[in-house]
Amino acid sequence: MGWRTPLMTAALSVRRWGTGRLTAGLLVLLAGASGPLVSAEEPGPLRPPPALLLSLPRIGQPLAGREPLIVGATTDSYPYGYADQDQLWTGFTVDLLDAVARVMNLKIQRVALPGRQLQERFRRGDFDFLQSLSQTPEREAYAEFSVPFLTLQGAIFVQKRGSPVKTLADFNGRRFAFVGVSSIAEQFLRDSGITVQGVYVSSTTEGLGLVESGECAGVYASHLTALSVIERQGLRNIAQFGPPITDHDIRHSFAVHKGDAQLLA
């Protein structure tokens, strides 16, 4: 079995979250690293983002010479990767990446940013990889993805009271919140022949807040994520619009730069 046994163990250790389909295959993202035994960064306050971490992605350099690997991590993606009340890292993807770093003997350094800024900075080359990014065909133009470690069905959420939307076609021409640029939500509406006024937000929390206030007619999110945010934020005027979307899953993965085979091996 070789390295597969500890990796399987690490995968099983996060199943307690029970939030989707974990695959042991994602844990080979950082396989092939060499060097002394090191671990994930010690818990501590979130680091503010420096002006520029990397002039260019360090693609092609040996992994041992790239440590610590600079990881872009969200501050606002509840419940997956966010800052708690003490400004400490917490969430499912935090625990998962820490487990991978320990198993693969890698040293990482996280940098904190809201989700949308993180995506923009990654494209600029400021990070070696992202702790989590949902996979879409458009994003594959600039990133390569690990095997998804969490796959969730998406759904649309609207106001419980006062929503003008009764059918999917009613979204045409209305403001719709998209969590990140080139998300699966954009693909779903495009595939459904719906044209909206897109409002790009950094997190499901921000998107649901815009729906609650009536600033947006809807937002696309996973049922699990939305319920978690609704409870945490005390939102009272949010309802799911129709059943979950069965053919446009939200697939959370690690994301590296295009061509960075060493990191994704």
Side-chain angles (χ1 to χ4, degrees):
M1 294 288 288
W3 52 261
R4 293 182 184 272
T5 299
L7 289 180
M8 294 288 188
T9 301
L12 289 172
S13 72
V14 298
R15 286 185 183 270
R16 69 183 188 277
W17 289 83
T19 53
R21 300 192 301 271
L22 288 172
T23 59
L26 77 98
L27 297 176
V28 304
L29 169 69
L30 305 177
S34 59
L37 179 65
V38 291
S39 63
E41 60 182 354
E42 293 299 318
L46 276 66
R47 292 181 172 84
L52 187 64
L53 287 171
L54 308 173
S55 58
L56 288 172
R58 298 176 290 180
I59 298 172
Q61 297 181 22
L63 289 185
R66 293 163 63 175
E67 293 180 327
L69 293 167
I70 307 301
V71 184
T74 54
T75 59
D76 55 0
S77 182
Y78 182 84
Y80 308 109
Y82 63 100
D84 66 13
Q85 60 184 4
D86 298 318
Q87 291 298 292
L88 300 177
W89 299 109
T90 189
F92 170 78
T93 58
V94 176
D95 288 351
L96 183 62
L97 180 56
D98 283 348
V100 173
R102 285 192 296 269
V103 167
M104 299 313 303
N105 301 331
L106 284 171
K107 186 175 181 181
I108 62 173
Q109 178 182 324
R110 291 182 175 92
V111 175
L113 281 171
R116 188 179 175 192
Q117 293 181 41
L118 204 69
Q119 197 174 338
E120 294 170 354
R121 292 282 296 273
F122 174 72
R123 295 191 68 173
R124 280 169 43 186
D126 290 3
F127 313 115
D128 287 301
F129 68 100
L130 294 180
Q131 182 171 268
S132 179
L133 185 66
S134 58
Q135 186 174 357
T136 67
E138 289 81 3
R139 291 173 179 175
E140 289 174 354
Y142 63 85
E144 295 185 24
F145 295 86
S146 69
V147 172
F149 52 74
L150 190 60
T151 300
L152 302 170
Q153 282 189 333
I156 294 175
F157 292 85
V158 298
Q159 284 187 315
K160 185 183 297 183
R161 299 174 299 278
S163 174
V165 176
K166 306 303 178 185
T167 68
L168 190 61
D170 291 338
F171 284 109
N172 274 306
R174 300 187 185 277
R175 287 164 59 87
F176 193 99
F178 293 120
V179 182
V181 178
S182 301
S183 67
I184 198 67
E186 292 182 80
Q187 183 179 336
F188 168 72
L189 291 179
R190 188 166 56 247
D191 292 346
S192 300
I194 305 298
T195 302
V196 299
Q197 299 179 44
V199 177
Y200 293 98
V201 299
S202 288
S203 66
T204 300
T205 301
E206 185 180 357
L208 286 170
L210 292 179
V211 173
E212 171 99 349
S213 67
E215 296 178 64
C216 286
V219 64
Y220 190 101
S222 82
H223 179 75
L224 172 73
T225 307
L227 289 183
S228 299
V229 170
I230 288 168
E231 180 179 0
R232 186 179 193 235
Q233 299 298 119
L235 302 178
R236 295 291 180 264
N237 195 28
I238 298 290
Q240 184 171 310
F241 177 78
I245 311 300
T246 59
D247 54 355
H248 288 74
D249 289 345
I250 300 170
R251 297 179 294 169
H252 295 282
S253 306
F254 297 141
V256 306
H257 290 281
K258 201 79 172 175
D260 198 356
Q262 288 193 24
L263 202 50
L264 200 61

